[in-house]
Amino acid sequence: MSNPPRPAKPFVKWVGGKRSILDTLVDRAPQSYQRYVEPFVGGGALFFRLQPAPALLADINERLITTYQALRDDVDQVIALLTQHAAAHSADYYYQARVELSAATDPAQVAAWFIYLNKTCYNGLYRVNRRGGFNVPLGDYTDPPILDEPNLRAAATALQGVELTHGAFDAVEPRTGDFCYLDPPYHQTYAGYSAAMFGEAEHVRLAAYCDRIDTAGGRFLLSNSDTPLVRELYATYTIEVVSAGRSVSREASQRGRADELLIRNY
Ligand SMILES: C[S@@+](CC[C@H](N)C(=O)[O-])C[C@H]1O[C@@H](n2cnc3c(N)ncnc32)[C@H](O)[C@@H]1O
């Protein structure tokens, strides 16, 4: 019998983090599969809850993926550097850190700057200018929780053996037996995660990717906003309306604004 996974939670605050519908996602995830795949991993809320193996995590945000890699491969060094940043934290230090992040190439350095900035910046946003420089202003916190060593170690444990890649979602080749959880920037909502926007054309590409997973013999679970385009793109699959974390069945006319859709091919 294997030991239950050590509790771990996302080590970054991430826009679109899935805390409110996490229990519903866990409920809908298949009982068994050959590989867990999450091509829009962000903060990885579902991954850290399930701690599945083997797993492949990907995202278009290169610094985020480098941060995951550094935690997996060198958590001690990330903690040592982050301890220094936490001790030195001030407004001046924050604005200097933004410059340092752009210049950093060593993975542990990138990771420590990335986590430090994520915990202290405005709302945990990640936004870069055309040259890739992180440009979110300092957040308004008196005592931000910069270093959570037990959680960083638990995250590092969960990441052992995990494959991490940086790139567009459809660069991940689907395989038979995959369970693929897809949490894209939602249609018609905030999409400023990267220089490349996630507009209608991307949503059409994503639906084609879901068809590829289906044809390859994998299963996918997708979360998205409840818009006519999304309903049309996935009309042949199972569509469930989820409101404030709970599954609901209601007339379209009574739908609240916070509704989202869970779409699956199983
Ligand atoms: C809604 S967030 C995922 C949130 C995540 N489920 C969580 O629990 O924090 C969407 C993610 O998709 C990534 N992304 C945006 N466009 C992408 C693309 N074309 N290919 C892969 N990832 C992309 C963003 O960097 C962001 O991390």
Side-chain angles (χ1 to χ4, degrees):
M1 225 171 81
S2 60
N3 291 324
R6 239 173 114 180
K9 53 186 194 321
F11 56 84
V12 283
K13 288 195 272 186
W14 212 246
V15 173
K18 283 277 108 43
R19 191 168 297 177
S20 67
I21 65 162
L22 201 51
D23 289 336
T24 308
L25 295 175
V26 171
D27 249 31
R28 299 299 177 273
Q31 288 298 313
S32 65
Y33 35 88
Q34 284 167 29
R35 182 177 70 154
Y36 178 88
V37 181
E38 193 169 347
F40 300 91
V41 69
L46 186 61
F47 166 77
F48 284 116
R49 171 70 84 83
L50 297 175
Q51 298 195 25
L56 186 160
L57 307 179
D59 200 284
I60 206 156
N61 185 328
E62 185 169 9
R63 288 180 184 134
L64 175 68
I65 292 298
T66 301
T67 301
Y68 273 93
Q69 284 165 342
L71 278 180
R72 180 191 63 189
D73 301 338
D74 198 1
V75 66
D76 289 333
Q77 183 63 6
V78 177
I79 288 172
L81 293 168
L82 195 54
T83 303
Q84 293 172 15
H85 300 333
H89 176 54
S90 69
D92 286 350
Y93 195 79
Y94 174 89
Y95 286 103
Q96 185 54 33
R98 299 200 316 186
V99 179
E100 301 285 350
L101 175 69
S102 295
T105 51
D106 171 70
Q109 283 186 4
V110 171
W113 288 125
F114 189 92
I115 296 170
Y116 166 68
L117 288 164
N118 173 265
K119 300 289 181 180
T120 52
C121 76
Y122 179 76
N123 276 352
L125 287 180
Y126 186 83
R127 198 184 57 208
V128 291
N129 61 27
R130 286 214 187 116
R131 281 190 239 124
F134 179 75
N135 64 4
V136 177
L138 178 66
D140 184 18
Y141 308 108
T142 31
D143 191 14
I146 297 167
L147 178 68
D148 179 350
E149 183 171 339
N151 189 54
L152 289 173
R153 291 197 181 279
T157 302
L159 288 166
Q160 294 310 300
V162 169
E163 194 179 338
L164 295 162
T165 64
H166 146 243
F169 62 90
D170 49 4
V172 178
E173 197 55 42
R175 290 192 205 149
T176 310
D178 276 354
F179 167 49
C180 189
Y181 173 53
L182 301 150
D183 184 20
Y186 280 12
H187 181 228
Q188 288 178 349
T189 54
Y190 176 79
Y193 295 99
S194 74
M197 297 299 269
F198 208 92
E200 194 164 317
E202 296 300 300
H203 281 281
V204 172
R205 250 177 75 195
L206 178 56
Y209 183 64
C210 288
D211 292 339
R212 263 173 71 196
I213 298 171
D214 190 55
T215 306
R219 280 171 288 184
F220 73 82
L221 175 64
L222 165 83
S223 21
N224 212 328
S225 42
D226 188 358
T227 68
L229 175 75
V230 174
R231 283 183 175 260
E232 184 192 321
L233 287 174
Y234 299 96
T236 59
Y237 296 112
T238 303
I239 300 184
E240 183 182 0
V241 181
V242 171
S243 185
R246 282 187 304 277
S247 176
V248 290
S249 51
R250 270 194 258 137
E251 291 305 311
S253 58
Q254 295 179 313
R255 263 185 245 128
R257 290 176 65 208
D259 288 354
E260 47 193 305
L261 300 180
L262 282 184
I263 299 157
R264 62 199 145 104
N265 67 334
Y266 55 92

